[in-house]
Amino acid sequence: FLFSWLYGYYPLLGEENTVKSYLAELSKLDLTPLDTPDPELAYLFKHIVTQEVAYESLSYTTRAQLHELLAQYLEGTYSNNLPLEALAYHYSRSNNLRKKREYLRRSGDEAREAYSNTTALEYYRQALESSPEQEEAIDLHINAGKVYQLIGEPNEARNHFQRALQMATANQIMPKIIECEIKLGNAWILHSEYSKALEWLEKAHTHAVQINDLKGICDARCELGIIHWRLANFDI
Protein backbone atom coordinates (compact mmCIF):
# COMPACT_ATOMS: atom_id res chain seq x y z
CA PHE A 1 0.00 0.00 0.00
CA LEU A 2 1.16 3.51 -0.88
CA PHE A 3 1.94 5.91 1.94
CA SER A 4 0.44 8.76 -0.10
CA TRP A 5 -2.92 6.96 -0.27
CA LEU A 6 -2.92 6.09 3.43
CA TYR A 7 -1.96 9.57 4.59
CA GLY A 8 -4.07 11.29 1.95
CA TYR A 9 -7.39 9.57 2.54
CA TYR A 10 -7.33 9.37 6.35
CA PRO A 11 -5.72 12.51 7.82
CA LEU A 12 -6.89 11.60 11.33
CA LEU A 13 -3.89 9.26 11.53
CA GLY A 14 -1.74 12.31 12.29
CA GLU A 15 0.91 14.52 10.76
CA GLU A 16 2.97 13.19 7.86
CA ASN A 17 6.11 12.56 9.94
CA THR A 18 4.06 10.89 12.67
CA VAL A 19 2.48 8.45 10.22
CA LYS A 20 5.86 7.72 8.66
CA SER A 21 7.31 6.95 12.09
CA TYR A 22 4.43 4.50 12.78
CA LEU A 23 5.10 2.76 9.48
CA ALA A 24 8.85 2.65 10.12
CA GLU A 25 8.19 0.93 13.45
CA LEU A 26 5.87 -1.62 11.83
CA SER A 27 8.56 -2.23 9.21
CA LYS A 28 11.16 -2.90 11.93
CA LEU A 29 8.77 -5.40 13.49
CA ASP A 30 8.55 -7.07 10.05
CA LEU A 31 4.76 -6.78 10.02
CA THR A 32 4.60 -4.36 7.09
CA PRO A 33 8.14 -4.12 5.68
CA LEU A 34 9.19 -1.37 3.32
CA ASP A 35 8.49 -2.22 -0.31
CA THR A 36 9.70 0.89 -2.14
CA PRO A 37 11.36 4.04 -0.72
CA ASP A 38 10.50 7.67 -1.45
CA PRO A 39 9.27 9.19 -3.69
CA GLU A 40 6.93 6.19 -4.16
CA LEU A 41 6.95 5.19 -0.49
CA ALA A 42 5.08 1.92 -0.12
CA TYR A 43 4.79 -0.94 2.35
CA LEU A 44 3.43 -4.45 2.16
CA PHE A 45 1.96 -7.00 4.51
CA LYS A 46 4.59 -9.71 4.86
CA HIS A 47 1.94 -12.32 5.63
CA ILE A 48 -1.63 -12.29 4.35
CA VAL A 49 -2.80 -13.48 7.77
CA THR A 50 -1.54 -10.22 9.30
CA GLN A 51 -3.63 -8.23 6.87
CA GLU A 52 -6.68 -10.45 7.39
CA VAL A 53 -6.52 -10.21 11.19
CA ALA A 54 -6.13 -6.42 11.09
CA TYR A 55 -8.99 -6.12 8.60
CA GLU A 56 -11.36 -8.47 10.40
CA SER A 57 -10.75 -6.69 13.72
CA LEU A 58 -12.68 -3.72 12.31
CA SER A 59 -16.47 -3.68 12.36
CA TYR A 60 -18.31 -4.01 9.05
CA THR A 61 -19.54 -0.42 9.34
CA THR A 62 -16.03 0.92 9.91
CA ARG A 63 -14.62 -1.09 7.00
CA ALA A 64 -17.36 0.14 4.67
CA GLN A 65 -16.72 3.75 5.68
CA LEU A 66 -12.96 3.42 5.19
CA HIS A 67 -13.38 1.81 1.77
CA GLU A 68 -15.64 4.66 0.68
CA LEU A 69 -13.28 7.32 2.05
CA LEU A 70 -10.37 5.83 0.13
CA ALA A 71 -12.42 5.56 -3.06
CA GLN A 72 -13.48 9.20 -2.76
CA TYR A 73 -9.84 10.20 -2.26
CA LEU A 74 -8.80 8.29 -5.38
CA GLU A 75 -11.58 9.92 -7.42
CA GLY A 76 -10.40 13.36 -6.39
CA THR A 77 -6.68 12.69 -6.71
CA TYR A 78 -6.71 10.87 -10.05
CA SER A 79 -9.66 12.57 -11.74
CA ASN A 80 -7.84 12.67 -15.10
CA ASN A 81 -6.75 9.03 -14.99
CA LEU A 82 -9.06 7.11 -12.69
CA PRO A 83 -7.75 3.80 -11.29
CA LEU A 84 -10.95 1.96 -12.19
CA GLU A 85 -9.93 -1.39 -10.73
CA ALA A 86 -9.11 0.14 -7.34
CA LEU A 87 -12.31 2.20 -7.37
CA ALA A 88 -14.41 -0.85 -8.21
CA TYR A 89 -12.73 -2.80 -5.42
CA HIS A 90 -13.23 -0.18 -2.72
CA TYR A 91 -16.70 1.03 -3.70
CA SER A 92 -17.89 -2.58 -3.96
CA ARG A 93 -16.96 -2.97 -0.29
CA SER A 94 -18.72 0.22 0.75
CA ASN A 95 -22.41 0.98 1.19
CA ASN A 96 -22.48 3.35 -1.78
CA LEU A 97 -24.48 1.24 -4.23
CA ARG A 98 -24.61 3.86 -6.97
CA LYS A 99 -20.83 4.21 -7.10
CA LYS A 100 -20.37 0.48 -6.70
CA ARG A 101 -22.48 -0.20 -9.79
CA GLU A 102 -20.82 2.59 -11.76
CA TYR A 103 -17.26 1.41 -11.24
CA LEU A 104 -18.00 -2.28 -11.59
CA ARG A 105 -19.59 -1.50 -14.96
CA ARG A 106 -16.77 0.81 -16.05
CA SER A 107 -14.15 -1.71 -14.98
CA GLY A 108 -15.99 -4.39 -16.92
CA ASP A 109 -16.07 -2.19 -20.01
CA GLU A 110 -12.35 -1.42 -19.68
CA ALA A 111 -11.52 -5.12 -19.30
CA ARG A 112 -13.73 -6.01 -22.29
CA GLU A 113 -12.00 -3.42 -24.48
CA ALA A 114 -8.65 -4.90 -23.43
CA TYR A 115 -9.93 -8.43 -24.24
CA SER A 116 -9.59 -9.47 -20.59
CA ASN A 117 -12.77 -11.44 -21.05
CA THR A 118 -12.89 -13.43 -17.82
CA THR A 119 -12.25 -10.28 -15.78
CA ALA A 120 -14.91 -8.37 -17.71
CA LEU A 121 -17.52 -11.07 -17.11
CA GLU A 122 -16.76 -11.10 -13.40
CA TYR A 123 -17.23 -7.34 -13.14
CA TYR A 124 -20.50 -7.53 -15.10
CA ARG A 125 -21.71 -10.36 -12.87
CA GLN A 126 -21.03 -8.34 -9.72
CA ALA A 127 -22.66 -5.26 -11.23
CA LEU A 128 -25.79 -7.23 -12.14
CA GLU A 129 -25.96 -8.59 -8.59
CA SER A 130 -25.94 -5.06 -7.14
CA SER A 131 -29.54 -4.23 -8.19
CA PRO A 132 -28.83 -1.83 -11.07
CA GLU A 133 -31.49 0.36 -12.67
CA GLN A 134 -33.33 -1.27 -15.57
CA GLU A 135 -31.54 0.58 -18.38
CA GLU A 136 -28.17 -0.07 -16.77
CA ALA A 137 -29.02 -3.76 -16.35
CA ILE A 138 -29.96 -3.93 -20.04
CA ASP A 139 -26.56 -2.54 -21.04
CA LEU A 140 -24.78 -4.92 -18.66
CA HIS A 141 -26.54 -7.92 -20.19
CA ILE A 142 -25.76 -6.70 -23.70
CA ASN A 143 -22.08 -6.21 -22.89
CA ALA A 144 -21.86 -9.58 -21.15
CA GLY A 145 -23.48 -11.13 -24.23
CA LYS A 146 -20.85 -9.53 -26.46
CA VAL A 147 -18.07 -11.09 -24.36
CA TYR A 148 -19.66 -14.54 -24.37
CA GLN A 149 -20.11 -14.28 -28.13
CA LEU A 150 -16.45 -13.32 -28.52
CA ILE A 151 -15.19 -16.30 -26.49
CA GLY A 152 -17.38 -18.78 -28.36
CA GLU A 153 -20.17 -19.41 -25.87
CA PRO A 154 -23.25 -18.71 -28.03
CA ASN A 155 -25.85 -20.05 -25.62
CA GLU A 156 -24.69 -17.74 -22.83
CA ALA A 157 -24.50 -14.85 -25.29
CA ARG A 158 -28.06 -15.34 -26.50
CA ASN A 159 -29.26 -15.80 -22.94
CA HIS A 160 -27.93 -12.36 -21.99
CA PHE A 161 -29.32 -10.74 -25.13
CA GLN A 162 -32.72 -12.33 -24.43
CA ARG A 163 -32.74 -11.10 -20.83
CA ALA A 164 -31.84 -7.60 -22.02
CA LEU A 165 -34.66 -7.77 -24.58
CA GLN A 166 -37.16 -8.87 -21.94
CA MET A 167 -36.26 -5.91 -19.74
CA ALA A 168 -36.36 -3.47 -22.64
CA THR A 169 -39.75 -4.82 -23.75
CA ALA A 170 -41.19 -4.65 -20.25
CA ASN A 171 -40.15 -1.00 -20.04
CA GLN A 172 -40.99 -0.18 -23.67
CA ILE A 173 -37.50 1.18 -24.40
CA MET A 174 -37.67 0.91 -28.18
CA PRO A 175 -34.04 1.78 -29.07
CA LYS A 176 -32.85 -0.95 -26.69
CA ILE A 177 -35.42 -3.40 -28.05
CA ILE A 178 -34.04 -2.78 -31.53
CA GLU A 179 -30.45 -3.13 -30.34
CA CYS A 180 -31.22 -6.45 -28.63
CA GLU A 181 -33.03 -7.81 -31.68
CA ILE A 182 -30.04 -6.91 -33.86
CA LYS A 183 -27.67 -8.57 -31.38
CA LEU A 184 -29.76 -11.73 -31.44
CA GLY A 185 -29.85 -11.68 -35.24
CA ASN A 186 -26.08 -11.27 -35.38
CA ALA A 187 -25.62 -14.10 -32.87
CA TRP A 188 -27.55 -16.47 -35.15
CA ILE A 189 -25.61 -15.28 -38.23
CA LEU A 190 -22.35 -16.25 -36.55
CA HIS A 191 -23.66 -19.79 -36.24
CA SER A 192 -25.12 -19.92 -39.76
CA GLU A 193 -28.71 -20.12 -38.48
CA TYR A 194 -29.91 -17.73 -41.15
CA SER A 195 -33.65 -18.27 -40.86
CA LYS A 196 -33.58 -17.40 -37.15
CA ALA A 197 -31.28 -14.48 -37.84
CA LEU A 198 -33.63 -13.13 -40.52
CA GLU A 199 -36.57 -13.33 -38.13
CA TRP A 200 -34.84 -11.19 -35.49
CA LEU A 201 -33.37 -8.71 -37.94
CA GLU A 202 -36.63 -8.16 -39.78
CA LYS A 203 -38.29 -7.45 -36.43
CA ALA A 204 -35.54 -4.99 -35.61
CA HIS A 205 -35.86 -3.28 -38.99
CA THR A 206 -39.64 -2.99 -38.64
CA HIS A 207 -39.35 -1.50 -35.17
CA ALA A 208 -36.61 0.90 -36.27
CA VAL A 209 -38.72 2.14 -39.18
CA GLN A 210 -41.69 2.65 -36.86
CA ILE A 211 -39.79 5.10 -34.65
CA ASN A 212 -37.51 6.47 -37.39
CA ASP A 213 -34.41 5.14 -35.64
CA LEU A 214 -31.89 5.76 -38.42
CA LYS A 215 -29.05 3.96 -36.65
CA GLY A 216 -31.27 0.95 -36.01
CA ILE A 217 -32.40 0.93 -39.64
CA CYS A 218 -28.81 1.04 -40.90
CA ASP A 219 -27.56 -1.62 -38.46
CA ALA A 220 -30.43 -3.98 -39.27
CA ARG A 221 -29.98 -3.54 -43.02
CA CYS A 222 -26.24 -4.19 -42.77
CA GLU A 223 -26.86 -7.47 -40.97
CA LEU A 224 -29.63 -8.41 -43.40
CA GLY A 225 -27.25 -7.71 -46.27
CA ILE A 226 -24.68 -10.09 -44.74
CA ILE A 227 -27.26 -12.87 -44.62
CA HIS A 228 -28.45 -12.40 -48.20
CA TRP A 229 -24.85 -12.19 -49.40
CA ARG A 230 -24.05 -15.48 -47.69
CA LEU A 231 -27.18 -17.02 -49.17
CA ALA A 232 -26.22 -15.66 -52.63
CA ASN A 233 -29.43 -13.62 -52.79
CA PHE A 234 -27.66 -10.83 -54.65
CA ASP A 235 -30.82 -9.23 -56.03
CA ILE A 236 -32.31 -8.47 -52.58
Side-chain angles (χ1 to χ4, degrees):
F1 55 92
L2 288 168
F3 166 77
S4 60
W5 288 18
L6 179 64
Y7 175 70
Y9 101 95
Y10 201 66
L12 291 178
L13 287 174
E15 297 295 327
E16 180 176 352
N17 288 335
T18 301
V19 178
K20 284 184 175 179
S21 69
Y22 292 156
L23 291 169
E25 185 64 26
L26 289 171
S27 181
K28 288 179 183 177
L29 294 171
D30 214 26
L31 292 173
T32 54
L34 179 69
D35 185 40
T36 58
D38 276 327
E40 293 294 324
L41 185 60
Y43 295 83
L44 55 83
F45 285 95
K46 185 172 183 179
H47 300 291
I48 188 62
V49 173
T50 306
Q51 189 271 339
E52 289 175 347
V53 170
Y55 187 76
E56 294 298 332
S57 69
L58 301 171
S59 69
Y60 171 83
T61 300
T62 300
R63 294 201 304 262
Q65 290 171 343
L66 292 175
H67 279 297
E68 184 166 1
L69 282 173
L70 178 52
Q72 289 172 344
Y73 169 78
L74 296 177
E75 278 185 305
T77 304
Y78 302 98
S79 58
N80 294 324
N81 187 24
L82 292 172
L84 294 180
E85 186 176 350
L87 286 164
Y89 177 85
H90 290 291
Y91 270 127
S92 68
R93 285 157 179 78
S94 75
N95 292 323
N96 191 329
L97 268 179
R98 182 179 65 82
K99 289 287 189 176
K100 173 182 178 178
R101 291 193 293 262
E102 175 187 349
Y103 284 107
L104 286 171
R105 175 184 55 77
R106 291 178 65 176
S107 295
D109 292 345
E110 182 180 66
R112 178 171 59 85
E113 290 169 5
Y115 299 101
S116 298
N117 299 314
T118 301
T119 301
L121 288 172
E122 177 59 22
Y123 279 128
Y124 290 146
R125 182 191 65 78
Q126 290 182 46
L128 283 165
E129 289 179 351
S130 63
S131 305
E133 299 293 331
Q134 286 295 303
E135 287 201 44
E136 188 176 2
I138 292 167
D139 287 336
L140 286 166
H141 278 298
I142 290 173
N143 287 343
K146 290 177 183 177
V147 177
Y148 277 117
Q149 190 164 281
L150 185 65
I151 63 177
E153 295 193 29
N155 292 334
E156 284 292 341
R158 289 193 296 270
N159 179 51
H160 279 282
F161 293 147
Q162 285 278 14
R163 292 175 72 180
L165 177 60
Q166 290 168 359
M167 291 180 181
T169 302
N171 290 275
Q172 286 299 296
I173 308 172
M174 284 305 298
K176 289 298 179 183
I177 291 172
I178 294 163
E179 183 179 358
C180 292
E181 289 170 340
I182 292 171
K183 291 297 181 189
L184 284 162
N186 177 259
W188 287 115
I189 290 175
L190 293 174
H191 297 281
S192 302
E193 295 280 355
Y194 298 128
S195 60
K196 292 179 180 178
L198 282 169
E199 181 181 344
W200 283 112
L201 292 168
E202 286 167 355
K203 282 183 183 179
H205 186 262
T206 298
H207 287 145
V209 169
Q210 286 173 352
I211 66 168
N212 196 31
D213 178 356
L214 298 181
K215 183 180 183 303
I217 292 170
C218 290
D219 289 346
R221 286 183 179 178
C222 284
E223 297 291 344
L224 286 165
I226 290 170
I227 295 174
H228 290 299
W229 175 76
R230 290 189 178 184
L231 294 173
N233 295 330
F234 302 124
D235 294 331
I236 295 179

